[in-house]
Amino acid sequence: YQRRGYGNSNSNSNNQFYSGSSSNQISTGSFVDAPMTFIAQATTNFMRRHYIMTFLWALGLLLVTMGKGYAIDPNTEHEFNKALDEAEIIEQTHLNDAYLNNEAMYQRYYRSKGWFSCDAYCQSNYQDYLRAQQQLADAKALHNAAISEARSIVGIFSDYAVKDTRRLFWSCWDWGKNFAKRISFYDAIFLAMDSRNESFWAYIIRLILRVLVNFSIGFFSALISFVWQLWFFVRSYSAGIAGIAFFILGSIAAFSLIASAIGAMWVGTAGAAAVVVTMAGPQLEGPRRRQRHRVHYQ
């Protein structure tokens, strides 16, 4: 029954990565025999199967490397700086006063209300607080309109917009990285408490895998946050079709950087494991040879 191949079909299929044809199937057992070759073949087959994703990844890296934005001329820069100065004046006067008035009205309302009641004096303070909130919203709208008018002078594809987009991306990157570091710190503590009956190397392997998962989640969350904020950033330029194109290209570039970081983490870890397996090859080959001789004897 087993000589006909029926009994071993499931075990062989479970130990292979399918890549479209039988000639491109990679056995997981080849990782022990040739770990670096296994990693290279698995990466190549993944890029072949997902060629659209690979093309977008390469396009994003090209945008990150070559996309600098066009430089604005001195006259445009003068008009842009003048418009920014007007927006800053609005921020320091109208917006700042609206913030202070809103906070003062809220504190007055908060001190006048009871636990479960609000008398006439409290209701009057509450109406003042609502008017202060409306004034703050109007001041924010006025400031945002001034910023949007200033940005529309230089354009969405200017070097100013590109630099601001890069700063936005790296701020989201730092947020995702710090999130992953905090989660990994707590995971290290709880895994140490849960691994008292395990060996030290088992704890290290579990911790490394957990760190990889945490940073993958953190970077993916950073990508989602960046794309969400990029949409509102592009809208502030009032660029129309050019703004939509900038949003798509910026999202592709961010995806490429995040995918490169996550892929580098996992491939680098697999490469380190490959080095360990290669160095431990002679020690692993001895038990395997003895096992084959024992099976042959039986």
Side-chain angles (χ1 to χ4, degrees):
Y1 182 77
Q2 292 182 353
R3 283 199 302 268
R4 294 183 180 180
Y6 300 112
N8 295 328
S9 59
N10 293 332
S11 60
N12 291 334
S13 61
N14 291 334
N15 292 328
Q16 290 177 341
F17 291 112
Y18 183 70
S19 60
S21 62
S22 59
S23 60
N24 292 329
Q25 291 178 353
I26 304 174
S27 175
T28 56
S30 63
F31 182 80
V32 179
D33 299 328
M36 299 306 297
T37 304
F38 173 85
I39 295 174
Q41 291 180 352
T43 303
T44 303
N45 290 335
F46 177 84
M47 296 177 69
R48 288 178 179 175
R49 291 196 305 271
H50 304 87
Y51 55 90
I52 297 179
M53 185 183 300
T54 303
F55 171 75
L56 293 177
W57 170 75
L59 176 62
L61 292 182
L62 182 64
L63 291 173
V64 171
T65 305
M66 306 297 295
K68 305 296 182 181
Y70 61 84
I72 58 177
D73 58 86
N75 293 330
T76 304
E77 184 178 3
H78 176 72
E79 295 179 4
F80 174 65
N81 290 330
K82 183 179 178 180
L84 283 183
D85 291 338
E86 294 178 358
E88 186 176 359
I89 293 175
I90 294 176
E91 180 181 6
Q92 294 177 356
T93 55
H94 295 79
L95 188 57
N96 187 45
D97 293 343
Y99 268 117
L100 295 177
N101 183 50
N102 180 74
E103 182 64 22
M105 292 298 101
Y106 174 75
Q107 292 297 331
R108 179 185 297 179
Y109 161 68
Y110 180 79
R111 289 193 296 266
S112 63
K113 71 184 185 71
W115 284 96
F116 304 102
S117 62
C118 185
D119 55 11
Y121 178 70
C122 172
Q123 291 292 333
S124 176
N125 290 334
Y126 179 68
Q127 295 300 323
D128 293 339
Y129 171 60
L130 292 181
R131 284 190 290 269
Q133 280 189 323
Q134 184 61 41
Q135 293 176 1
L136 178 59
D138 294 340
K140 286 182 177 180
L142 181 63
H143 179 257
N144 292 334
I147 292 293
S148 179
E149 182 179 358
R151 288 176 172 176
S152 63
I153 296 175
V154 295
I156 189 63
F157 283 99
S158 64
D159 54 354
Y160 175 83
V162 172
K163 290 179 182 178
D164 274 357
T165 304
R166 291 177 183 271
R167 282 193 290 266
L168 177 62
F169 173 79
W170 290 118
S171 65
C172 295
W173 170 280
D174 291 335
W175 173 82
K177 181 180 65 176
N178 293 332
F179 169 78
K181 289 168 63 176
R182 289 193 300 268
I183 299 300
S184 299
F185 173 76
Y186 292 113
D187 282 342
I189 296 176
F190 289 116
L191 283 178
M193 298 173 59
D194 189 50
S195 303
R196 290 174 294 180
N197 297 326
E198 296 180 351
S199 64
F200 174 76
W201 293 112
Y203 166 75
I204 293 298
I205 292 174
R206 291 180 60 190
L207 180 60
I208 291 175
L209 292 177
R210 190 67 63 87
V211 169
L212 289 174
V213 172
N214 291 338
F215 272 87
S216 299
I217 295 175
F219 287 150
F220 181 76
S221 301
L223 175 62
I224 299 299
S225 176
F226 169 76
V227 172
W228 176 263
Q229 297 181 55
L230 180 63
W231 173 251
F232 293 98
F233 174 79
V234 169
R235 288 183 58 186
S236 67
Y237 277 83
S238 302
I241 301 299
I244 297 176
F246 186 88
F247 172 77
I248 294 174
L249 295 177
S251 301
I252 292 175
F255 161 77
S256 299
L257 290 176
I258 295 297
S260 299
I262 296 176
M265 287 191 308
W266 287 94
V267 174
T269 304
V275 172
V276 173
V277 171
T278 302
M279 295 177 62
Q283 288 80 3
L284 295 176
E285 188 64 22
R288 292 173 62 187
R289 288 181 178 178
R290 289 194 297 269
Q291 184 178 4
R292 286 198 296 267
H293 288 309
R294 187 180 301 111
V295 173
H296 178 71
Y297 177 78
Q298 292 177 353

